[in-house]
Amino acid sequence: MAHNVIAVYPGTFDPMTLGHEDVVRRATQLFDRVIVAVAAGHHKKAMFTLQERIEMARVVAQPYPQVEVESFSGLLRDFVVARGGKAMVRGLRAVTDFDYEFQLAGMNRSLMPEVETVFLTPSDKYQFISSTFVREIAMLGGEVDKFVSPAVQQKLVEKVRSLGRE
């Protein structure tokens, strides 16, 4: 049994949902260290700044001492290899995620054959949650407390207010 196995859980986390949190929790049961890698987000227009997304992820990760939160830009492969990652964790919600994730895992395997992609499914009650839905509901003034932690909900309320959309 390998010891001190490092897993990287990459994402935009804009914002971090209870589904993401559940995947982090599950990953801590499998790996010695989990690095939540917050993508600088070159291709997606983020609601939250990189710093805000890192801060939210750190609050969510607080109960798990073996979890670190870092940002990355550029190729994920370079980040994973530099950190000594042996696994990449990806959350799968539904069959709709699978096709994209399967292709991504194949690409990542050719870029970093020494790193395994591990798919974790969140608890049933979080399967339908996506950051996109959470952002849209918040922007329209809806309740998001069932989808995000209290700290993230607070940040969402502040962000929507600052954007003048209440």
Side-chain angles (χ1 to χ4, degrees):
M1 170 76 192
H3 287 293
N4 206 18
V5 178
I6 299 167
V8 175
Y9 178 31
T12 322
F13 305 113
D14 183 40
M16 192 165 234
T17 67
L18 292 177
H20 293 134
E21 197 172 332
D22 195 46
V23 170
V24 169
R25 183 185 60 76
R26 289 170 190 281
T28 63
Q29 294 169 343
L30 296 172
F31 303 103
D32 302 302
R33 277 179 57 215
V34 176
I35 301 171
V36 173
V38 182
H42 53 92
H43 58 286
K44 286 184 183 174
K45 180 77 189 86
M47 175 187 244
F48 291 96
T49 66
L50 177 58
Q51 199 51 48
E52 287 170 325
R53 289 182 285 128
I54 291 167
E55 284 164 18
M56 284 186 282
R58 284 191 174 138
V59 169
V60 166
Q62 264 174 343
Y64 312 104
Q66 70 272 52
V67 176
E68 295 159 42
V69 177
E70 290 185 51
S71 66
F72 78 97
S73 58
L75 263 183
L76 178 61
R77 175 197 169 278
D78 297 340
F79 179 86
V80 173
V81 170
R83 297 302 179 286
K86 286 287 164 247
M88 189 158 41
V89 171
R90 299 293 295 169
L92 273 186
R93 288 175 303 221
V95 73
T96 49
D97 289 341
F98 184 78
D99 193 47
Y100 170 77
E101 290 294 344
F102 188 75
Q103 290 176 46
L104 191 64
M107 287 295 295
N108 283 326
R109 177 165 293 140
S110 68
L111 289 171
M112 43 184 177
E114 67 288 356
V115 176
E116 288 299 333
T117 298
V118 177
F119 295 114
L120 297 177
T121 56
S123 164
D124 296 354
K125 61 180 181 247
Y126 305 132
Q127 295 251 308
F128 60 90
I129 301 174
S130 79
S131 293
T132 305
F133 288 156
V134 168
R135 286 194 308 271
E136 286 174 7
I137 292 166
M139 289 301 271
L140 295 169
E143 292 293 315
V144 293
D145 57 308
K146 291 191 291 290
F147 314 126
V148 296
S149 70
V152 172
Q153 183 187 6
Q154 184 58 42
K155 291 278 188 209
L156 268 165
V157 168
E158 290 166 15
K159 181 60 74 171
V160 169
R161 195 172 292 144
S162 78
L163 296 171
R165 304 261 178 95
E166 10 168 41

